Amino acid sequence: MASTSSSSIQKSFKYDVFLSFRGEDTRKNFVDYLYHALKQKGIYTYKDDEEIKKGNKISDELIRSIEDSKFYIIVFSKNYASSSWCLDELVKIMQCQKTTNGQTAYPVFYDVEPTEVRKQSGQLEKHLPNM
């Protein structure tokens, strides 16, 4: 289990890593490979294996898993921003990262340029609200 210390307070996490990804883009290829590579190295990783139905709200269990993870790997792909679940996860991840528990997010750009995410252009422009 991952743990960190902040002054005299120590927070234990259930997961070392939480994977945030758009299933239809990356579940059966990149994310599966990444998940198994992390697992093989002894890194306890949360990967949501449920097919999320459009329009459904992010589950309480998923929120708890985000809160209970030390690190986040956000796999930005062409359709990431078209998923309200992905965007809800991203908001929660950013909220957790701002806390004093030492949680850190790492972006991975899969078949999308970092500038497209930064400038909200290309496919992302259609789906991301102006931030």
Side-chain angles (χ1 to χ4, degrees), residues 77-96:
S77 59
K78 288 189 187 291
N79 294 304
Y80 184 90
S82 69
S83 165
S84 61
W85 276 64
C86 289
L87 296 178
D88 288 345
E89 283 180 12
L90 185 59
V91 167
K92 184 62 182 173
I93 288 168
M94 294 298 100
Q95 288 171 346
C96 289

Side-chain angles (χ1 to χ4, degrees), residues 33-46:
Y33 177 81
L34 177 61
Y35 174 77
H36 290 293
L38 291 168
K39 187 177 171 185
Q40 188 175 31
K41 294 291 183 184
I43 299 169
Y44 193 50
T45 303
Y46 181 89

Side-chain angles (χ1 to χ4, degrees), residues 28 41 49-50:
K28 300 287 186 207
K41 294 291 183 184
D49 282 324
E50 293 180 26

Side-chain angles (χ1 to χ4, degrees), residues 2-6 9-13 67-68 70 101 103:
S3 64
T4 185
S5 63
S6 174
I9 300 172
Q10 189 171 39
K11 162 86 172 146
S12 292
F13 296 95
E67 291 171 345
D68 219 5
K70 172 75 172 151
N101 292 327
Q103 293 155 297

Side-chain angles (χ1 to χ4, degrees), residues 49-109:
D49 282 324
E50 293 180 26
E51 289 294 325
I52 299 167
K53 297 193 176 24
K54 288 185 180 183
N56 288 348
K57 292 186 120 186
I58 192 168
S59 72
D60 290 340
E61 180 184 340
L62 199 57
I63 293 287
R64 281 192 299 278
S65 298
I66 292 169
E67 291 171 345
D68 219 5
S69 296
K70 172 75 172 151
F71 298 102
Y72 310 103
I73 298 177
I74 304 160
V75 182
F76 289 105
S77 59
K78 288 189 187 291
N79 294 304
Y80 184 90
S82 69
S83 165
S84 61
W85 276 64
C86 289
L87 296 178
D88 288 345
E89 283 180 12
L90 185 59
V91 167
K92 184 62 182 173
I93 288 168
M94 294 298 100
Q95 288 171 346
C96 289
Q97 186 175 299
K98 288 180 182 177
T99 67
T100 58
N101 292 327
Q103 293 155 297
T104 307
Y106 296 98
V108 172
F109 302 95

